[in-house]
Amino acid sequence: MLDNIRGGYHIALKDIVTYYFKAPNISWGLLFPFALILAFYLRSPGEFLELVPGLLALTVLFGSTSMEAIVITFERRIGTMERLFLAPISVGALVAGKIVAGAAFGFCTALAVLVIAVPLLSIPVHHPVLLLLGLAIQSLTYASMGALVAVTVKEVFEAQTLANFLRFPMVFLGGVFYPVAAMPEVLQYVAKVFPLTYGVNTVQAALGIGLPPDAAYIWGQLAIVAAFGLGLYFISTLVLSRQLR
Amino acid sequence: MAADKAPKAIEVHGLKKRFNGFDALKGLDFSVELGEIFGFLGPNGAGKTTTIRILTGLARPSAGTARILGLDIGRDMRRIKKQIGVVPDVSNLYGELSAADNLRFMAALYGVPRSERTARAGELLEEFQLANRAGSPFRTLSRGMKRRVTIAAALIHRPRILFLDEPTIGLDVNNARALRRAIIALREKGTTVFLTTHNLEEANFLCDRVAIIQAGEILTVQTPAALRAAAVERPILEVTFDGAVSDRITAAIQSLPGVCAVRLEAGGTVARVEADELSAILPRLVSLLDETGLLIKEINTLKPTLEDAFIRLTGSGEEVHPGA
């Protein structure tokens, strides 16, 4: 167990240093959400606040999945992943290490946006701890989704295509720009299968924008996001383990 | 007592691997002693890499068993991995990390205590003559240097067994020689080395014993000397002339008592004479050639090579390099 924790930690640390926290990634990671926020703010400053929870969730989604899917696929292509398979740790620990690195990047990006946007735009925060916990759990869940994408494809371009194939329906149907409750009934059912829907709900409730700031409700939504994350993690581990046969 | 008996480094029984209806391994049986350099020799596609992948946990066998240091590969792979080092045929470390950082990362992954990682990495970089490139990103190193860093990475946790898959492939002569010396030094320190290669001279030079594998089957396991001795049934005399030998002279040599076969090479200027007793045939041959007036430049008795043994066993020398 200790070997696995240690191994996963060092893999995460190595990925963070090697891939994620590089100037181009950091600048892109911050530029993307700020450009979106600015665009929506300039369009309708009066209604902008309603979009903040969705944009925050979106920042976490893209920050956590974009590089995750590419990093694993890239390492499998160049053979460095095989070196990790040779280490005395479980495949689960390897996948966990990869996920934690991706999640750390997504979380830090969202945190940077939060730190700048909250005072600047006078965004209310009713449950700061739950908000941070929510962003952290979402980061892990979306990074697990990125990991699943990566282990099911062989090429980097396939990973990008599949990641977008999953992300874009989530963005449009997950309540980021338009409330799920106002969508046609069929689409509301579709929205239920996306972790982003519950992620947006947690941010909305934590900020008290669009939903009442009910802590019990936030915990319930977080539990669903976490369940998605665990499911995606176990499937990724299973798929990768089967490839060693 | 049986319980006190030290386990073999590697024991393989009936190991099979089937890929999509193709039998890559057809029931391998062999063992490797502690402290020896064991060569796994065969042409491309013979099953060398598949065997190494199974023994190191990168693939699972379809049938059969294997034990490494007495531990079963099916049940104890994580414990086995702590005691083995693996050098794949491709140098696959992280290009963006420096040589030293790659080694420190591997040390961390294998549980080398934090206080020892830097010292151990430095020690290995020194040993492999890479200390002056410790801070260079791995991607900027030459092929030979990359190979040496990859081997150093496999040794970072002081494994008892080192698996080397085609260690000198793609290296120039000097780098290949340096690497072979390093492999011998490892054996002297007590490390067991399992080496796959299709370089026959390398196997001959390095290995205590070699297994020859072809089409997923082990043809033989012997010392290189025993293999060479068994390679040719009769001694061979190689005679080099100052000109081409005519058909008439060839027929005359062939008719000498005791001569079994004559083969001309190098445009007819070299005759390879197979005979039952070289000491008996040599005076007759010299006397015959004297009569023809043909000038003999050189006479050699040939020792069989590992290549002879390989060709005899596999029936083909294709895709096998006699030496680098």
Side-chain angles (χ1 to χ4, degrees), chain B residues 239-258:
Chain B
V239 189
T240 309
F241 302 96
D242 69 341
V245 178
S246 67
D247 290 345
R248 188 179 58 80
I249 297 172
T250 310
I253 298 170
Q254 179 77 66
S255 65
L256 286 173

Side-chain angles (χ1 to χ4, degrees), chain B:
Chain B
M1 275 169 61
D4 293 334
K5 197 178 155 191
K8 287 183 186 293
I10 301 169
E11 283 178 276
V12 173
H13 297 292
L15 201 67
K16 290 183 183 175
K17 182 70 183 176
R18 197 172 171 80
F19 294 113
N20 304 323
F22 168 72
D23 289 317
L25 301 179
K26 299 171 183 168
L28 304 189
D29 288 285
F30 65 91
S31 65
V32 179
E33 300 296 332
L34 283 167
E36 75 174 334
I37 299 180
F38 186 85
F40 213 52
L41 204 62
N44 289 343
K48 303 188 297 290
T49 299
T50 302
T51 307
I52 233 175
R53 288 180 71 82
I54 290 173
L55 295 179
T56 57
L58 290 176
R60 291 176 195 157
S62 307
T65 60
R67 298 180 81 81
I68 294 181
L69 298 165
L71 300 168
D72 186 274
I73 60 161
R75 288 195 302 269
D76 305 308
M77 203 61 220
R78 297 255 300 279
R79 284 172 69 197
I80 290 171
K81 283 178 175 178
K82 286 182 176 180
Q83 304 197 60
I84 63 171
V86 185
V87 181
D89 55 353
V90 178
S91 300
N92 59 352
L93 294 176
Y94 291 94
E96 296 300 314
L97 295 182
S98 70
D101 283 342
N102 264 300
L103 296 192
R104 279 193 285 265
F105 170 60
M106 287 300 154
L109 215 50
Y110 278 85
V112 175
R114 182 190 291 267
S115 58
E116 292 174 25
R117 284 175 209 155
T118 300
R120 178 70 181 141
E123 187 185 306
L124 283 165
L125 288 170
E126 195 73 50
E127 198 175 317
F128 284 93
Q129 292 153 19
L130 288 160
N132 59 339
R133 301 300 301 270
S136 305
F138 182 72
R139 64 181 157 75
T140 64
L141 302 178
S142 72
R143 189 181 281 197
M145 288 176 180
K146 281 181 179 168
R147 205 79 191 118
R148 280 183 277 158
V149 181
T150 308
I151 295 178
L155 294 169
I156 196 82
H157 57 297
R158 295 186 172 87
R160 292 177 67 192
I161 302 176
L162 182 66
F163 287 89
L164 289 162
D165 197 0
E166 304 284 1
T168 56
I169 200 162
L171 295 188
D172 61 37
V173 175
N174 286 337
N175 273 311
R177 280 185 174 181
L179 206 53
R180 286 180 198 130
R181 281 196 297 273
I183 293 168
I184 289 171
L186 283 172
R187 176 184 51 192
E188 283 163 5
K189 288 179 188 167
T191 308
T192 305
V193 179
F194 183 94
L195 171 97
T196 75
T197 183
H198 56 266
N199 183 323
L200 297 162
E201 273 313 306
E202 182 166 278
N204 189 35
F205 177 71
L206 288 174
C207 299
D208 297 303
R209 288 190 307 140
V210 293
I212 293 184
I213 180 171
Q214 189 186 33
E217 287 177 291
I218 289 196
L219 305 179
T220 187
V221 182
Q222 290 192 58
T223 63
L227 269 175
R228 286 195 308 270
V232 284
E233 287 167 347
R234 300 183 195 93
I236 296 171
L237 201 63
E238 188 184 73
V239 189
T240 309
F241 302 96
D242 69 341
V245 178
S246 67
D247 290 345
R248 188 179 58 80
I249 297 172
T250 310
I253 298 170
Q254 179 77 66
S255 65
L256 286 173
V259 170
C260 304
V262 181
R263 198 173 83 218
L264 295 180
E265 290 176 354
T269 60
V270 174
R272 281 168 68 100
V273 183
E274 268 187 51
D276 290 327
E277 273 292 333
L278 285 187
S279 54
I281 195 71
L282 195 55
R284 290 179 204 144
L285 185 65
V286 173
S287 143
L288 170 74
L289 294 172
D290 250 359
E291 288 167 21
T292 63
L294 210 60
L295 194 67
I296 299 171
K297 286 172 72 178
E298 206 175 315
I299 296 182
N300 291 309
T301 53
L302 294 185
K303 287 183 180 172
T305 62
L306 200 58
E307 189 184 359
D308 293 321
F310 187 90
I311 291 168
R312 190 175 140 82
L313 281 162
T314 62
S316 164
E318 271 181 57
E319 296 179 26
V320 173
H321 300 172

Side-chain angles (χ1 to χ4, degrees), chain A residues 11-226:
Chain A
I11 288 171
L13 206 62
K14 188 269 300 163
D15 275 10
I16 285 169
V17 172
T18 314
Y19 303 117
Y20 290 99
F21 286 78
K22 297 268 184 183
N25 288 338
I26 294 171
S27 54
W28 182 87
L30 292 174
L31 205 64
F32 170 70
F34 277 116
L36 268 181
I37 288 170
L38 193 65
F40 282 105
Y41 183 74
L42 291 176
R43 187 170 171 267
S44 52
E47 295 165 13
F48 169 72
L49 214 56
E50 290 170 23
L51 290 173
V52 168
L55 291 176
L56 262 178
L58 198 66
T59 303
V60 183
L61 174 70
F62 275 83
S64 304
T65 53
S66 298
M67 284 291 286
E68 181 73 43
I70 295 170
V71 164
I72 295 181
T73 316
F74 175 69
E75 282 211 25
R76 291 172 78 203
R77 283 299 290 170
I78 63 169
T80 46
M81 196 71 164
E82 193 162 285
R83 188 146 284 284
L84 302 180
F85 284 136
L86 289 166
I89 57 168
S90 67
V91 176
L94 193 167
V95 174
K98 293 280 175 199
I99 287 172
V100 167
F105 184 73
F107 179 75
C108 288
T109 312
L111 198 62
V113 171
L114 207 60
V115 166
I116 296 168
V118 165
L120 201 67
L121 304 171
S122 304
I123 298 167
V125 182
H126 287 83
H127 294 290
V129 176
L130 282 181
L131 176 65
L132 292 178
L133 186 68
L135 292 177
I137 292 175
Q138 283 184 74
S139 305
L140 288 164
T141 297
Y142 304 146
S144 301
M145 192 179 89
L148 181 58
V149 165
V151 299
T152 49
V153 298
K154 285 186 175 162
E155 304 289 344
V156 172
F157 75 88
E158 290 175 324
Q160 286 169 325
T161 308
L162 184 56
N164 286 334
F165 184 77
L166 292 172
R167 279 187 307 212
F168 282 104
M170 285 168 68
V171 170
F172 291 110
L173 302 176
V176 173
F177 300 116
Y178 197 70
V180 174
M183 289 179 189
E185 201 178 339
V186 177
L187 293 182
Q188 287 185 35
Y189 283 116
V190 176
K192 284 186 198 301
V193 301
F194 298 143
L196 185 67
T197 308
Y198 307 95
V200 172
N201 289 346
T202 62
V203 183
Q204 281 181 330
L207 297 177
I209 300 171
L211 283 172
D214 179 353
Y217 174 78
I218 298 172
W219 280 113
Q221 296 297 295
L222 278 183
I224 298 171
V225 178

